[in-house]
Amino acid sequence: MHNQPPSPDAPQDGSVADAVADNWVDRHAPAALRPYLRLSRADRPIGTWLLLLPCWWGLTLAILFDQSPRWEDLWIFVACALGAFLMRGAGCTWNDITDRDIDGKVARTRSRPIPSGAVSVKQALAWMVLQMLLALMILLTFNQAAIAMGVLALLPVAVYPFAKRFTWWPQVFLGLAFNWGALLVWTAHAGTLHAPAVVLYLAGIAWTLFYDTIYAHQDAEDDALIGVKSTARLFGENSGKWLRRFLMATVGLMGIAVIYAGLPQASVLALAIALGGPWAMGWHMAWQLRGLDTNDNAKLLQLFRSNRDTGIIPLLFFAAALLA
């Protein structure tokens, strides 16, 4: 575990190639912290949103299920945001540690802090542990069942970076990790898991397969050269057909989760409003498919980032249903 030699293609200011333009890290963060915040992808907030939104789905549907909102849910709502930022950062740090040799061979990733030489592996490990300890402090404010769910979440997080080495479906492992919050937060509210949470989790995994296949097409050529697997490489020119299948699975499973959550106690009006969530989400995913061009990396990145809005759409419907 040693410092990587600086990449000749790394931007001179230390910024990362696919970061959001004029992001707050590059503009306002203290210089000493910038490499670590870049390691956590704080300059690319879309990942935090994709981890956070299933948590908020789980919380709103859990309240719809038992019709028992309480003040503690406000803390759970805030804790989700803090925890998502920290655990996404820790997960990205772990991913970059395990992928440090691969990232140096891929045009889009060779400017990241470890392959560019901005951060050593030992420094990255220390940063990862710090983020995980802070996240643990938040997790310990939840009930025991939710704490146990939080500890179990470490398993898919640990395995994911290695998945692309042994399966053509690494996006499934990403889905397992990124949507775990739906299970955890449902448990934090309700004290135990119920069937709607599991179905919602499956819907989130289907959504992850949708957006991360789009994302993976950016690296398909480099991945083929270095032997890294992905659904983008597996599907190739048939990606559009597979993405439509993931769209239908997402909408269908989320719709079932909403029905399961709403039938016990929610009003007919609340259930109808909540069902508008997966319906509207599906239309946004269909819009993405209409603009899909797997040979246009800029468009691929734009579509991938648009999934923040994709995930917010059902959340708004679920929140409205709670007020009905």
Side-chain angles (χ1 to χ4, degrees):
M1 293 185 177
H2 52 273
N3 277 318
Q4 300 287 325
S7 166
D9 300 322
Q12 295 302 305
D13 62 356
S15 61
V16 178
D18 60 351
V20 176
D22 295 324
N23 64 82
W24 73 273
V25 174
D26 293 346
R27 294 176 60 192
H28 303 300
L33 274 180
R34 284 177 192 168
Y36 297 97
L37 291 171
R38 289 166 181 151
L39 195 59
S40 297
R41 312 282 202 277
D43 52 351
R44 281 157 288 170
I46 179 60
T48 299
W49 280 107
L50 296 176
L51 186 61
L52 171 61
L53 288 166
C55 299
W56 283 348
W57 297 347
L59 178 60
T60 49
L61 284 189
I63 297 172
L64 186 71
F65 177 75
D66 64 16
Q67 295 290 300
S68 298
R70 47 187 180 272
W71 288 111
E72 181 186 353
D73 293 327
L74 291 176
W75 164 243
I76 294 174
F77 183 86
V78 173
C80 287
L82 298 173
F85 179 81
L86 290 167
M87 284 309 297
R88 190 259 184 149
C92 289
T93 303
W94 172 242
N95 188 78
D96 281 11
I97 291 170
T98 60
D99 282 358
R100 58 191 183 276
D101 295 327
I102 293 174
D103 284 347
K105 300 174 183 176
V106 177
R108 188 178 57 82
T109 58
R110 61 171 58 109
S111 58
R112 288 179 176 174
I114 296 178
S116 70
V119 176
S120 71
V121 176
K122 287 184 178 180
Q123 289 170 328
L125 281 169
W127 179 244
M128 179 183 73
V129 170
L130 174 61
Q131 293 172 96
M132 292 180 68
L133 288 174
L134 292 172
L136 176 62
M137 292 173 63
I138 295 171
L139 180 64
L140 291 176
T141 66
F142 293 165
N143 59 51
Q144 289 187 352
I147 293 171
M149 291 296 297
V151 173
L152 283 174
L154 295 177
L155 181 59
V157 171
V159 172
Y160 166 66
F162 302 100
K164 56 184 169 287
R165 296 166 170 84
F166 64 80
T167 177
W168 287 101
W169 294 83
Q171 280 68 27
V172 171
F173 288 85
L174 181 67
L176 291 170
F178 256 58
N179 296 280
W180 195 270
L183 303 176
L184 192 160
V185 176
W186 182 291
T187 306
H189 169 83
T192 187
L193 270 180
H194 298 96
V198 178
V199 180
L200 182 66
Y201 179 55
L202 296 176
I205 293 172
W207 179 44
T208 303
L209 280 160
F210 179 89
Y211 66 66
D212 206 59
T213 297
I214 292 174
Y215 184 78
H217 267 287
Q218 296 175 91
D219 300 329
E221 291 185 9
D222 286 331
D223 287 349
L225 290 173
I226 60 181
V228 171
K229 299 178 174 69
S230 72
T231 49
R233 287 191 61 207
L234 176 64
F235 303 151
E237 294 182 357
N238 292 318
S239 287
K241 294 179 181 178
W242 279 95
L243 290 173
R244 280 190 288 276
R245 292 169 184 170
F246 297 145
L247 184 163
M248 290 186 290
T250 302
V251 173
L253 287 166
M254 186 177 286
I256 293 170
V258 169
I259 292 170
Y260 272 166
L263 279 180
Q265 300 188 61
S267 68
V268 174
L269 176 60
L271 182 57
I273 292 172
L275 281 171
W279 174 81
M281 181 182 188
W283 278 109
H284 194 276
M285 294 169 75
W287 166 80
Q288 291 182 56
L289 283 181
R290 286 197 295 272
L292 182 68
D293 180 353
T294 57
N295 296 311
D296 184 344
N297 280 5
K299 186 64 174 180
L300 290 168
L301 185 58
Q302 177 196 357
L303 291 175
F304 168 72
R305 287 175 174 166
S306 75
N307 279 276
R308 180 201 65 173
D309 297 340
T310 312
I312 287 175
I313 288 169
L315 177 66
L316 295 176
F317 279 85
F318 298 164
L322 296 180
L323 302 175

